[in-house]
């Protein structure tokens, strides 16, 4: 079941498609896809995955409200695991762990704007999506609905607009961050970090969440 809404997201009019259960088979994306997810909380043990948002960089967002009893979403899973489709995230490490745990898919290949930001914006410790988007793109985004009840059967328009917002700036961020990575000679090390992310998420799920296995101690 799909509902199409026209919502104001960060001051712009955006077509938001809310799908219950799975992405319809006929939804076509072009190029890399920005992906984000919403959960009941930040615990990899306790908090279930509720919503997955996708956008191919246009002014549309597709939101998949998952059936938490089955997580039966073959079309969504196929896209997340598609080796020929780059997925853009902000802090991929968490979303990838959730996808592994609840959807049983390894999401790859990926690009993470938070990792890229940490590798080039060494002059700041503000790497949250709001601060990054403000500095790099000059755009203001709202984080007001971040802590809200994503497990509710009916999500509010404010929640849907917030969820869509999180995938609408990642393509532009990638473009700017890629230029900064190239300028600083860090493109290759960034790529190696992105390639390692599914393993980092697997370590989180396997009990090494708080441990840096590369640390001396
Ligand atoms: Mn989000």
């Amino acid at each position: 079941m799909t509902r199409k809404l026209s919502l104001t997201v960060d001051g712009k009019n955006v077509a938001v498609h809310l799908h219950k259960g799975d992405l319809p088979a006929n939804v076509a994306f072009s190029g890399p896809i920005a992906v984000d997810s919403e959960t009941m909380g930040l615990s990899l043990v306790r908090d279930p995955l509720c919503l997955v948002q996708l956008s191919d960089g246009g002014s549309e967002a597709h939101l998949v409200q998952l059936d938490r009893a089955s997580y039966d979403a073959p079309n969504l899973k196929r896209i997340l695991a598609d080796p020929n489709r780059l997925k853009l995230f902000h802090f991929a490490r968490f979303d990838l762990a959730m996808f592994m745990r609840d959807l049983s898919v390894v999401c790859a290949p990926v690009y993470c704007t938070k990792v890229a930001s940490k590798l080039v914006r060494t002059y700041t410790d503000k790497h949250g999506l709001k601060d990054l988007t403000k500095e790099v793109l000059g755009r203001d985004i709202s984080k007001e609905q971040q802590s809200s009840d994503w497990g509710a059967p009916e999500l509010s328009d404010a929640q849907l607009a917030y969820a869509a917002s999180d995938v609408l700036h990642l393509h532009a961020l990638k473009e700017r961050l890629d230029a900064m990575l190239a300028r600083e000679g860090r493109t290759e090390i960034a790529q190696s970090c992105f390639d390692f992310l599914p393993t980092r998420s697997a370590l989180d799920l396997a009990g090494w969440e708080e441990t840096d296995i590369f640390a001396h101690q």
Side-chain angles (χ1 to χ4, degrees):
M1 197 196 77
T2 295
R3 249 176 79 211
K4 190 180 170 185
L5 304 97
S6 181
L7 297 175
T8 305
V9 180
D10 308 323
K12 280 203 298 190
N13 217 33
V14 172
V16 175
H17 306 261
L18 176 63
H19 312 287
K20 296 222 174 174
D22 194 9
L23 204 61
N26 62 1
V27 175
F29 294 102
S30 74
I33 307 180
V35 184
D36 185 38
S37 66
E38 305 300 335
T39 64
M40 284 301 291
L42 297 177
S43 166
L44 297 178
V45 180
R46 182 193 59 195
D47 299 322
L49 176 65
C50 300
L51 188 75
V52 178
Q53 306 99 277
L54 308 121
S55 168
D56 64 6
S59 61
E60 290 198 326
H62 290 269
L63 278 45
V64 182
Q65 194 176 15
L66 295 157
D67 174 356
R68 293 196 272 139
S70 67
Y71 287 112
D72 183 22
N75 297 329
L76 174 65
K77 292 177 190 182
R78 198 176 311 118
I79 283 184
L80 294 177
D82 184 350
N84 297 312
R85 178 84 68 175
L86 181 65
K87 272 75 63 171
L88 320 179
F89 290 87
H90 186 75
F91 198 52
R93 178 176 170 179
F94 180 75
D95 302 279
L96 262 51
M98 286 289 173
F99 296 165
M100 266 176 212
R101 191 197 64 188
D102 287 344
L103 304 179
S104 304
V105 293
V106 177
C107 181
V110 300
Y111 182 102
C112 179
T113 52
K114 189 165 211 165
V115 167
S117 176
K118 287 187 176 185
L119 285 172
V120 288
R121 295 173 64 248
T122 44
Y123 48 83
T124 179
D125 58 2
K126 290 186 162 58
H127 300 286
L129 186 60
K130 188 179 170 63
D131 287 312
L132 179 63
T133 306
K134 177 70 185 164
E135 187 203 287
V136 172
L137 301 177
R139 299 179 195 166
D140 277 305
I141 61 167
S142 165
K143 278 280 163 192
E144 213 173 285
Q145 295 292 321
Q146 185 164 36
S147 319
S148 64
D149 180 10
W150 294 105
E154 298 301 328
L155 300 172
S156 69
D157 283 4
Q159 283 180 303
L160 298 173
Y162 164 77
S165 166
D166 275 355
V167 289
L168 291 177
H169 308 285
L170 299 182
H171 287 79
L173 285 171
K174 176 184 185 293
E175 199 182 314
R176 294 295 307 274
L177 289 165
D178 278 348
M180 293 174 84
L181 285 165
R183 190 189 77 198
E184 301 303 323
R186 293 181 193 145
T187 301
E188 204 178 324
I189 202 163
Q191 188 58 53
S192 300
C193 293
F194 302 150
D195 293 343
F196 178 68
L197 274 163
T199 305
R200 180 61 263 190
S201 302
L203 285 166
D204 289 341
L205 288 174
W208 283 272
E209 192 177 0
E210 300 298 334
T211 308
D212 175 2
I213 58 164
F214 300 107
H216 181 248
Q217 289 296 333

